[in-house]
Amino acid sequence: MQKKRWIEVVFILLCFALFGCGKTEKEEKGTQKDPSLPDAQPSEEPTLTQDALKQYQFRLPQQGDTVAEFVISDFGSIFVKLFPEDAPLAVENFVTHAKEGYYDETSFHRIIDDFMIQGGIPKESSNGGESIWKEAFEDEFSKQLNPFRGALCMANHGANTNGSQFFLVQADANSIMELKYLLEEGQDMTLQDYLENQYGILLSDKLIEQYITYGGTPWLTGYHTVFGQIFEGFDVLDKIAAVPVFGDQPLEPVVIETIRIIQWEVSTE
């Protein structure tokens, strides 16, 4: 993910326009947010509700589907359903790297709470990692997959520059509601208009409502290949996102012991 975009997102969420720049004493101490902001925190994981599970991206894995288990030291496991039919290059690259141990004992090297956690750089890498083809590969976009909360996406530094790095979207529905509120109250601008004006992203009313419902990073729509979706382990995702950081670097390593690739079997019991 481009550093410029990380900075823009953090700037929007923490020091938007009329609300002033820089962390306030309240934010640094980790106290509760301004009570005037709307509280859209869902009572259950939004991507796992019965309505969500009817949608293509959030459906639970079926017999024979390819699943990746991220085994993270001291935190537990995150299970991700992969989409080889929608993003064949990204899935092949990720699965091959995982099976060959390329990601073993690597770290989530960039962590931004209410945004994402990023990994995929092998130890002693001098170039930030590379694809299984030893060169960058092209983006793959599907209308059925978006960077909603829990999405597994390819990190990049521009169009068609995919290598080995990836990120898991952690931003939840509450994050989107806060951004929407700040835009409407601070700038008299809708989220839809902001995305169009700042990023040239045209999102339908339906897609905007989905981001508000499920969470995610609407400003990254069409910028990063989505090739997987978390279906178990959101609690682990949120715990990792909340670790102490300096800037976006975790103070203590968050280590991926391994990534297991599983052909999913549905229990008949």
Side-chain angles (χ1 to χ4, degrees), residues 72-195:
I72 302 141
S73 297
D74 301 321
F75 287 91
S77 290
I78 295 175
F79 291 84
V80 177
K81 175 182 174 180
L82 303 180
F83 298 100
E85 294 184 1
D86 301 89
L89 295 178
V91 171
E92 181 183 358
N93 180 68
F94 179 82
V95 167
T96 301
H97 271 331
K99 288 183 175 179
E100 292 179 350
Y102 189 87
Y103 297 128
D104 290 359
E105 300 301 320
T106 62
S107 299
F108 284 109
H109 61 279
R110 282 197 173 98
I111 296 176
I112 303 177
D113 198 11
D114 292 329
F115 185 12
M116 60 90 212
I117 63 175
Q118 182 172 341
I121 300 179
K123 287 185 175 182
E124 301 179 357
S125 172
S126 61
N127 61 2
E130 60 185 6
S131 77
I132 60 174
W133 301 286
K134 309 299 182 183
E135 60 183 9
F137 63 94
E138 64 190 40
D139 298 319
E140 300 168 294
F141 299 121
S142 167
K143 293 182 179 179
Q144 300 188 95
L145 301 175
N146 292 286
F148 293 127
R149 172 168 163 82
L152 172 62
C153 311
M154 290 301 302
N156 63 41
H157 52 86
N160 304 313
T161 59
N162 301 292
S164 66
Q165 294 188 49
F166 54 80
F167 62 95
L168 289 161
V169 177
Q170 188 259 340
D172 61 15
N174 203 49
S175 301
I176 303 301
M177 284 299 294
E178 288 186 25
L179 174 57
K180 181 175 180 290
Y181 176 85
L182 292 173
L183 286 166
E184 292 175 350
E185 296 299 313
Q187 293 289 302
D188 192 26
M189 179 184 293
T190 67
L191 176 58
Q192 205 163 8
D193 287 342
Y194 172 77
L195 293 170

Side-chain angles (χ1 to χ4, degrees), residues 207-253:
L207 196 50
I208 287 289
E209 286 303 316
Q210 288 178 322
Y211 277 113
I212 291 172
T213 300
Y214 304 122
T217 53
W219 53 87
L220 298 184
T221 306
Y223 282 94
H224 296 268
T225 297
V226 177
F227 67 101
Q229 175 65 38
I230 295 175
F231 64 92
E232 185 177 332
F234 281 98
D235 56 334
V236 175
L237 174 69
D238 289 335
K239 288 177 183 177
I240 293 171
V243 302
V245 297
F246 180 76
D248 58 13
Q249 312 293 308
L251 297 183
E252 297 292 336

Side-chain angles (χ1 to χ4, degrees), residues 19-54:
F19 289 78
C21 293
K23 283 193 173 183
T24 65
E25 181 180 355
K26 180 176 70 174
E27 287 169 337
E28 289 177 349
K29 290 183 177 179
T31 54
Q32 292 184 347
K33 68 174 186 177
D34 186 339
S36 66
L37 293 176
D39 186 1
Q41 188 64 39
S43 59
E44 59 182 321
E45 183 57 50
T47 65
L48 298 178
T49 62
Q50 289 303 308
D51 285 341
L53 294 178
K54 296 175 184 177

